Amino acid sequence: MFGRIGRVVVLRPWVTISLWLIAAVALGVFAPQLKATSDQADFLPSHYESVQAAKAQERAFPQHELPAAIAVFQRTDGGKLTDADTAAVAKVSAELENLRLEHIKRVETNPQAISPNGAIALANVVADVKDPYDPALSESVKKLRAEAKSLLSGTDLRLGLTGQAASALDAKESSGDTDAMIMSATLLLIVVLLLIIFRSPLIAVLPVLIIGMAFAVATGLIATASELGGLKSDASISAILIVVLFGVGTDYILFLLFRYREQLRGGQDPKHAMISAVALVGETIASAAGAVIVAFLALLLSTMGMLRSMGPALAISVAVALLAGLTLVPAVFSLLGAKAFWPSKAWRKEPKNALAGRIGNLTAKRPAGVAALTSGLLAVLAIGVLSFHAEFDSESSLPQNLESVQAMKDLQRGFSAGQTDPTSVFLEKKDGSALDPAQLEAFGAALKKVDGVGEVSPAVPGANGGIAQYSVVLTHRPTEDKALALVDGPLRDAAHRAAPEGTRALVGGTTAVLADIRTAVNHDYKVVFPAAGLAIMIILGLLLRSVVAPLYLMISVALGFGATLGATVWLFQNGAGKNGLLFTLPVIVYLFVVAIGTDYNILMVARLREEIGRGHSPREAVRRAVTASTPTIAAAAVILAGTFGVLMLAKNSMLQQMGFAVAFGILLSAFVMAVLLVPTLTTLLGHRAWWPGHRSTHPEPAAAPGGAAVPARSPADDRTLV
């Protein structure tokens, strides 16, 4: 099949290129914009209590007002506020409200907004939109900060804005244009590494242009699919798409170009060499892409909308990269022929591959020692997993010099840490009738008794009196672990117990949302991991026509997953003193390292199968396969790891953790698992590795028109192997 695909695109290159251009332009013009959201509540299923609480709030308070930010006033000398200072706070707050900025409904203060120690005064910045990440609201918060400086001139006060909208603004501005930075760094890295590997400016630039076209097609398809399917994308998806598409796409191009160069050295003319290359590695590339695609699609089983929407988007991008690798790349390079390697002439000579040869000899001669050493190394690194702690506190990832972070610290000098984002507790009459005032008072009193609750506001009745809202200020920061544990345990338990007969209590707000997300992620660990692993094993079994090989391949991959996550824990959590790591990191590492890292195992075992099919003994097949495949795997892994490593340039610590973990995992997958562990295990198992296959010899190449040799059959057509 892949030989036929190669012939079609190589013999009709302009038709293939034209179809890609038309698709890119059409999707660029007609596809909707890819929309992203940063509101984590949008990603939870409706049965979670925090989501039900949000719906109750919408029913009872349709004109919902968000405490978007808090203005924290204090004296410049850090002393107690005077009467003149208090008057200045009220005056400045009124003047800020009079600015009538978009989405800012009120800037209010009251006597209770003075801290018990008299050092801090607060003013609530109330917005009329729900989303703290709303662009217009962010711009208004930015203007408030600028105006406050001039209004405070001549006073002994200083002001800092914190809270959800202020933190969102600071996070956005501190990260800068992350997507542009990641795109630029990724492109530069790919060009430089390809130039070093092939010493040809054309080969350095053309893959970038080809993947750029594929990127345009992929984003258009993803946006269209999201629009039709009603999916929402996480705000970080665009950065991930860049590195996935450019990294994976470059890998597939390298798989093809290395085999193309090998066929040219064998004496084939450029067109037949490209057809042969597609025939020889087409199934390998398709299987590798298939493993990645099904692993990403396993995210559809997630209860987290963030992961569920990420899965199809990433699967589409890899599918487009596969299609480009099998059609667009052969078409473009068939037009250039051997000129693609200009001005280098090194491609004409068979490389010595001295280091790869020594590695091949080592794995063939001392398989037991190499297997023990590599598996031991992975096991030691994996020990770090035991101390992994999931972090849900997004504020802790922000630089400490930001105004919202500093203002939060100032606020905590006088108030409970939860003052910036109180938890909302709703009491709802099941039959919709009005709530009894005595019941409301008793319910509020029960909430105040919970250890960890700082204060509880009086009940605020909703529009029809059937729902009342309590604002509960915790003594912990809203996003820290203690707050999540409090809301998900004692506070919810107390609220449910205290709810009078005929009513129900719902606990919502940011802390409750994060607590429910934690529950959802723990569920996903148990569902997504096995589903993705099983799907990858099935693909490996179909590719290798073996039951045994997929088993030990997945065992090695599991070791690699543990080693990757363990190393990340040691570096970022234990080494850098972090409280924990990104809560979705295990899922991301599993999918990217297990799925994408499996590409190199697939490439290696496919070459092993090819050498076995030619009649070589298992040891000799391993030696030849490692010698021939190591340069390809090394080049692809360095480029792919480098593209993910670019994420470490972002100021967002979550992207930094993701970048390191995936880059390190890919390097482990390539240089430890694919080059060392898998070949040695294959050597030790011998013919049993391919059970239930049987021996067959690889067919001799048939003569093509013009005397060029092309494979009579691809290794993909072999059905019986040792």
Side-chain angles (χ1 to χ4, degrees):
M1 180 182 77
F2 294 100
R4 290 194 294 272
I5 293 173
R7 280 190 292 274
V8 170
V9 298
V10 167
L11 297 178
R12 297 175 179 82
W14 287 113
V15 174
T16 303
I17 295 170
S18 298
L19 290 174
W20 273 94
L21 284 171
I22 291 170
V25 172
L27 287 168
V29 172
F30 297 109
Q33 290 293 315
L34 184 60
K35 299 176 182 178
T37 179
S38 297
D39 187 352
Q40 297 299 329
D42 288 343
F43 295 122
L44 282 171
S46 59
H47 66 269
Y48 282 99
E49 184 172 333
S50 60
V51 178
Q52 295 176 17
K55 292 180 178 178
Q57 184 177 50
E58 290 173 2
R59 292 195 302 272
F61 306 93
Q63 303 298 322
H64 176 60
E65 296 179 348
L66 173 77
I70 293 181
V72 182
F73 293 88
Q74 61 184 312
R75 287 183 58 84
T76 54
D77 60 8
K80 288 188 176 182
L81 299 169
T82 65
D83 291 341
D85 294 331
T86 305
V89 168
K91 180 182 178 183
V92 170
S93 299
E95 290 178 346
L96 289 175
E97 181 178 327
N98 290 336
L99 294 173
R100 303 299 178 190
L101 298 175
E102 188 174 4
H103 293 320
I104 301 297
K105 191 169 184 180
R106 294 192 310 278
V107 180
E108 59 185 10
T109 186
N110 56 65
Q112 287 74 36
I114 306 296
S115 65
N117 62 10
I120 305 295
L122 304 180
N124 287 323
V125 179
V126 180
D128 59 7
V129 290
K130 178 183 177 183
D131 186 7
Y133 296 88
D134 182 275
L137 178 59
S138 295
E139 187 61 30
S140 295
V141 170
K142 190 174 182 179
K143 290 178 180 177
L144 279 179
R145 283 176 169 170
E147 292 293 332
K149 290 180 181 178
S150 60
L151 293 174
L152 289 171
S153 178
T155 71
D156 294 323
L157 298 173
R158 61 186 176 93
L159 176 151
L161 279 180
T162 188
Q164 291 189 70
S167 295
L169 172 63
D170 285 344
K172 180 180 178 181
E173 291 188 341
S174 66
S175 64
D177 195 346
T178 302
D179 288 358
M181 179 271 293
I182 290 174
M183 175 70 87
S184 301
T186 300
L187 295 180
L188 179 62
L189 178 70
I190 291 174
V191 169
V192 170
L193 290 177
L194 287 176
L195 192 59
I196 293 172
I197 293 168
F198 290 98
R199 302 173 191 174
S200 165
L202 279 175
I203 292 184
V205 173
L206 278 176
V208 172
L209 297 177
I210 290 170
I211 299 171
M213 187 182 299
F215 181 76
V217 172
T219 50
L221 289 174
I222 292 167
T224 302
S226 298
E227 184 80 10
L228 295 175
L231 298 175
K232 294 184 179 181
S233 299
D234 182 70
S236 62
I237 188 65
S238 54
I240 299 173
L241 279 178
I242 292 169
V243 294
V244 167
L245 195 56
F246 277 85
V248 172
T250 304
D251 264 14
Y252 298 159
I253 291 174
L254 284 175
F255 290 176
L256 186 65
L257 288 183
F258 270 92
R259 208 35 108 82
Y260 174 52
R261 189 173 65 178
E262 191 177 316
Q263 299 305 113
L264 286 175
R265 287 173 182 154
Q268 293 189 30
D269 67 82
K271 286 191 178 296
H272 285 102
M274 182 57 76
I275 294 172
S276 298
V278 175
L280 288 166
V281 299
E283 186 183 29
T284 301
I285 295 175
S287 299
V292 180
I293 290 169
V294 296
F296 286 155
L297 289 178
L299 290 174
L300 290 171
L301 301 175
S302 169
T303 56
M304 280 283 293
M306 176 181 67
L307 296 177
R308 200 165 56 248
S309 62
M310 184 188 294
L314 296 177
I316 289 171
S317 67
V318 175
V320 172
L322 168 64
L323 189 60
L326 294 178
T327 59
L328 185 57
V329 175
V332 170
F333 280 91
S334 68
L335 291 174
L336 295 171
K339 295 177 183 178
F341 298 96
W342 179 89
S344 173
K345 297 180 180 179
W347 65 271
R348 298 177 181 175
K349 302 177 183 178
E350 190 71 30
K352 295 181 180 179
N353 289 343
L355 179 59
R358 287 195 291 271
I359 295 173
N361 289 330
L362 178 65
T363 54
K365 291 180 179 179
R366 293 180 173 81
V370 174
L373 182 63
T374 52
S375 58
L377 171 65
L378 295 174
V380 169
L381 289 174
I383 293 174
V385 174
L386 299 177
S387 60
F388 170 77
H389 178 71
E391 178 63 80
F392 294 83
D393 185 0
S394 59
E395 295 176 6
S396 65
S397 65
L398 295 176
Q400 295 300 298
N401 61 347
L402 296 178
E403 180 176 328
S404 59
V405 177
Q406 291 298 321
M408 170 62 77
K409 292 179 179 178
D410 294 334
L411 180 148
Q412 292 178 41
R413 289 177 50 222
F415 291 93
S416 296
Q419 189 77 37
T420 56
D421 190 5
T423 294
S424 297
V425 179
F426 298 89
L427 186 63
E428 180 178 17
K429 202 68 176 291
K430 293 180 180 179
D431 60 7
S433 61
L435 289 159
D436 184 342
Q439 291 179 331
L440 292 177
E441 186 175 347
F443 183 77
L447 296 179
K448 289 180 182 179
K449 294 178 182 178
V450 177
D451 188 25
V453 170
E455 56 184 274
V456 178
S457 70
V460 178
N464 60 1
I467 299 177
Q469 178 179 355
Y470 299 82
S471 182
V472 179
V473 176
L474 308 180
T475 57
H476 312 296
R477 280 192 303 113
T479 55
E480 67 176 308
D481 285 344
K482 291 180 180 178
L484 269 62
L486 172 61
V487 167
D488 198 28
L491 182 58
R492 276 183 170 160
D493 291 343
H496 296 162
R497 283 196 307 268
E501 187 177 352
T503 68
R504 68 167 181 165
L506 298 169
V507 180
T510 301
T511 308
V513 168
L514 292 176
D516 288 341
I517 286 176
R518 182 171 62 179
T519 302
V521 169
N522 289 334
H523 166 271
D524 292 348
Y525 288 165
K526 301 173 185 177
V527 175
V528 175
F529 286 11
L534 179 62
I536 293 173
M537 281 189 64
I538 291 172
I539 288 178
L540 288 172
L542 293 174
L543 169 68
L544 303 175
R545 286 90 185 177
S546 166
V547 174
V548 177
L551 290 175
Y552 70 80
L553 285 175
M554 289 307 298
I555 291 173
S556 70
V557 165
L559 270 175
F561 164 74
T564 301
L565 189 57
T568 309
V569 169
W570 275 344
L571 179 63
F572 284 92
Q573 184 175 305
N574 300 339
K578 296 282 188 180
N579 293 327
L581 301 180
L582 172 66
F583 65 92
T584 55
L585 192 64
V587 174
I588 291 170
V589 169
Y590 185 81
L591 294 172
F592 284 87
V593 174
V594 171
I596 296 179
T598 301
D599 286 3
Y600 307 122
N601 285 340
I602 288 175
L603 186 68
M604 180 61 75
V605 295
R607 189 64 182 240
L608 279 169
R609 192 191 67 170
E610 187 177 325
E611 298 297 338
I612 287 287
R614 287 171 174 159
H616 298 297
S617 68
R619 287 180 182 268
E620 178 61 17
V622 165
R623 187 190 68 78
R624 287 173 172 266
V626 171
T627 302
S629 300
T630 296
T632 307
I633 291 173
V638 168
I639 289 178
L640 184 57
T643 55
F644 277 98
V646 165
L647 291 174
M648 296 182 69
L649 298 176
K651 293 182 180 180
N652 185 314
S653 64
M654 292 185 292
L655 289 178
Q656 291 174 357
Q657 294 171 20
M658 186 191 306
F660 169 80
V662 177
F664 183 75
I666 286 169
L667 293 177
L668 274 184
S669 299
F671 293 104
V672 177
M673 290 185 286
V675 172
L676 295 174
L677 184 57
V678 169
T680 53
L681 291 176
T682 305
T683 302
L684 292 171
L685 288 169
H687 298 312
R688 289 168 293 183
W690 309 104
W691 184 86
H694 302 282
R695 180 183 301 275
S696 77
T697 55
H698 192 278
E700 292 297 322
V710 296
R713 295 167 66 210
S714 162
D717 296 322
D718 294 333
R719 292 295 182 270
T720 54
L721 299 168
V722 176

